[in-house]
Amino acid sequence: MKHDHPHATALHAAHASVLDAELEWLATCLQWRLQTYFGQPPASPALPFDGACQPPTLPQSSCGATPYSTLVAEHALDAADRLVMALALAPLLRPQLLDVLATRNEVTQRPYTEFGLNGWGQPTAETACFLLAGDQLAARLAAIARLGPEGQLARLGWLTLGNAGRTPEASAEAPAESSGATHTGAPPANTSPLLDALQPSPAWVQRALPGLGLLTRPNVQLPAQVVRTRLGWDDLVLPATTLAQLDDIHLWLTHGAQLLHDWGLARRISPGYICLFYGPPGTGKTLSAGLLGRRCGREVWRVDLSQLVSKYIGETEKNLSRIFEVAEQQQWILFFDEADALFGKRTAVADAHDRYANQEVSYLLQRIEAYTGVVILASNLRHHIDDAFLRRFQSVVHFALPRPPERLRLWREAFPPQATLAPDVDLPRLAQQHEVSGGTIMNVVRHACLQALGRGDHTVRAADVDEGLRRELLKEGRSN
């Protein structure tokens, strides 16, 4: 039987303790609101956060704090914003808590409009307004402003409104009777924006509730794959200048929203960040993208250009549109590998096919520039990318082949602790003599370790390493 890692188990227990208190508080607030709303006489004052609906105290000590409580404290969320986030989390963590809002009105035999649950049983902005304000108009206006783009939750990128991760086709197939509402495909044009579902953003879930990636998975099929790595930031072996440029991207991911909105630069600069990673294969471009996402709590999705581009007119644009729509909702980092396939040097238009190909590139560039997140384009050679495109990028990061000191570190860290290196394995010599990438070194280590396992002695010999290196150099068209 497979057992959970002790650290993961302890982390989930800590999460459960903090979130249980938050959800119990939400249940208390819901009960108070309904009791006053249907009381005799009925009343709907603002929630008494300093009384019956006082929020629980979140742990701040090193032994009791969780990423959730730390984020709430770091950004000084007030009680109302905390309650909205708890309401957005309820369908994911304790969906039965909201069943009380699915009650039908005995007079109309329809759900109570003011409760705001949508056809999938999700709380909406209307639900939050009712909970916070009841039928007090001034308090309702304040709640609407709180949920809007200028509210703290939106500026932090913690809360989204809408059917995140659903295509229109998927929305049309949603159940119609979960709360008594009827659905006939896309909502009518005059539907209130307050009926958009409250959803915690995937980026926030990854930061506040690490290890629960299932909660952020969209239910659509895309020509893209998530980039995963078990390595950490300290495992990157790169020149200081390259690491400094990666730190710049990390700063944008961490503080970009504040720069745009709080500092007012949204009027002057583009909402996203575009960068080019270029260098020989195996030098860490994909790994660096994955580690940036892991460091910032964002998922990185590698777009498969071979599946993206279609020979049918309009299909490429449709595929691109789906990717960017879901990526916006999920706040992904988009990674376009072998980007020169679309962003290469343009040629003169000789026929309709060339004209249409240029239209595809123009459309992709337009979507990339309008994307509010980070887009990383990867290429083996910088000069393969059209200069007109490069001028629109925020940064161009070179991934060079590692130098001898870096290669020595790669060789030393590549072998697993279970392997024993024979005395004739000279890692400093290998690092000095052979100019190879980190990816090549890992392939050599794989070959040598498999040979050792095959012999059953767990000892890696120099001959194993030399043979693996010879094969890799032949693959690259070089001789040992």
Side-chain angles (χ1 to χ4, degrees):
M1 179 181 294
K2 182 179 180 181
H3 297 281
D4 290 336
H5 190 280
H7 175 70
T9 302
L11 182 61
H12 291 162
H15 282 159
S17 177
V18 169
L19 293 171
D20 187 61
E22 292 288 277
L23 294 173
E24 286 297 327
W25 171 50
L26 171 62
T28 298
C29 294
L30 282 170
Q31 183 180 18
W32 187 91
R33 170 59 66 206
L34 293 174
Q35 285 177 345
T36 57
Y37 193 70
F38 293 112
Q40 295 297 329
S44 291
L47 284 175
F49 288 125
D50 56 351
C53 295
Q54 186 172 3
T57 301
L58 293 175
Q60 297 301 320
S61 64
S62 58
C63 60
T66 66
Y68 178 92
S69 60
T70 301
L71 281 173
V72 169
E74 179 183 334
H75 295 281
L77 248 61
D78 63 16
D81 279 345
R82 272 179 65 183
L83 191 64
V84 170
M85 291 306 301
L87 181 63
L89 279 172
L92 300 174
L93 302 180
R94 192 170 292 169
Q96 69 274 22
L97 190 152
L98 301 179
D99 285 350
V100 65
L101 298 178
T103 306
R104 288 178 180 267
N105 188 318
E106 293 182 0
V107 176
T108 64
Q109 290 301 305
R110 298 179 59 187
Y112 283 88
T113 304
E114 58 269 42
F115 292 177
L117 284 192
N118 67 15
W120 299 279
Q122 297 170 305
T124 64
E126 181 63 52
T127 311
C129 288
F130 171 72
L131 181 58
L132 294 173
D135 60 6
Q136 299 296 314
L137 185 56
R140 179 179 174 84
L141 294 177
I144 292 173
R146 179 182 296 276
L147 297 169
E150 299 304 319
Q152 184 180 18
L153 296 178
R155 287 189 289 106
L156 290 172
W158 289 11
L159 189 72
T160 63
L161 296 178
N163 291 318
R166 291 182 184 270
T167 61
E169 295 82 2
S171 298
E173 296 171 0
E177 292 297 329
S178 57
S179 68
T182 57
H183 292 272
T184 56
N190 62 350
T191 293
S192 167
L194 293 179
L195 294 182
D196 286 341
L198 290 178
Q199 294 173 325
S201 73
W204 178 83
V205 171
Q206 290 168 26
R207 292 183 64 193
L209 307 175
L212 302 180
L214 178 63
L215 300 182
T216 66
R217 181 67 57 242
N219 60 348
V220 292
Q221 296 296 318
L222 297 172
Q225 292 182 332
V226 66
V227 176
R228 301 193 187 281
T229 177
R230 296 183 180 180
L231 298 178
W233 191 258
D234 293 338
D235 293 313
L236 273 180
V237 182
L238 296 170
T241 53
T242 304
L243 288 172
Q245 288 181 287
L246 294 179
D247 279 334
D248 290 342
I249 304 172
H250 170 251
L251 284 174
W252 174 264
L253 285 163
T254 306
H255 303 291
Q258 183 180 5
L259 182 69
L260 290 170
H261 303 296
D262 295 350
W263 287 32
L265 284 186
R267 298 175 300 167
R268 299 179 181 274
I269 63 176
S270 60
Y273 196 100
I274 312 170
C275 48
L276 173 69
F277 288 2
Y278 76 96
T283 49
K285 299 186 290 295
T286 303
L287 174 62
S288 296
L291 288 176
L292 272 173
R294 184 174 180 181
R295 188 180 182 189
C296 302
R298 308 286 182 97
E299 282 199 349
V300 180
W301 281 71
R302 177 165 50 195
V303 180
D304 188 340
L305 289 173
S306 65
Q307 295 183 38
L308 188 69
V309 178
S310 173
K311 65 181 180 180
Y312 298 106
I313 293 178
E315 281 298 310
T316 299
E317 288 86 344
K318 182 179 178 181
N319 292 338
L320 282 169
S321 179
R322 290 176 61 233
I323 286 178
F324 279 99
E325 285 173 6
V326 177
E328 287 272 10
Q329 295 165 347
Q330 302 287 315
Q331 298 186 3
W332 290 338
I333 297 173
L334 288 179
F335 182 77
F336 289 84
D337 204 1
E338 300 182 6
D340 39 347
L342 275 180
F343 286 95
K345 302 285 186 180
R346 289 174 291 185
T347 58
V349 176
D351 54 28
H353 181 272
D354 292 337
R355 187 180 302 109
Y356 179 63
N358 284 342
Q359 290 176 358
E360 289 179 342
V361 173
S362 298
Y363 179 79
L364 176 57
L365 188 61
Q366 174 190 340
R367 291 306 301 256
I368 286 177
E369 289 186 314
Y371 185 56
T372 56
V374 168
V375 175
I376 299 173
L377 307 173
S379 174
N380 291 339
L381 297 171
R382 182 183 184 278
H383 68 263
H384 282 179
I385 306 295
D386 196 306
D387 290 339
F389 301 139
L390 284 175
R391 286 193 291 268
R392 307 189 191 195
F393 296 173
Q394 275 67 52
S395 66
V396 176
V397 185
H398 182 214
F399 287 77
L401 284 171
R403 296 166 298 185
E406 295 158 356
R407 293 198 294 269
L408 180 57
R409 180 185 166 189
L410 287 168
W411 279 111
R412 285 174 172 168
E413 295 181 1
F415 287 98
Q418 294 83 354
T420 300
L421 297 185
D424 59 348
V425 177
D426 189 349
L427 297 185
R429 178 187 64 81
L430 291 170
Q432 189 66 41
Q433 292 184 356
H434 300 286
E435 188 178 12
V436 292
S437 68
T440 297
I441 290 173
M442 287 309 307
N443 286 340
V444 173
V445 168
R446 181 196 314 232
H447 170 83
C449 289
L450 283 174
Q451 297 303 310
L453 286 171
R455 288 191 300 269
D457 58 10
H458 291 195
T459 299
V460 174
R461 302 173 183 174
D464 302 329
V465 177
D466 291 341
E467 175 60 19
L469 185 59
R470 185 188 69 81
R471 294 185 183 189
E472 290 300 310
L473 293 176
L474 283 176
K475 278 167 49 179
E476 298 174 11
R478 298 189 286 168
S479 58
N480 195 347

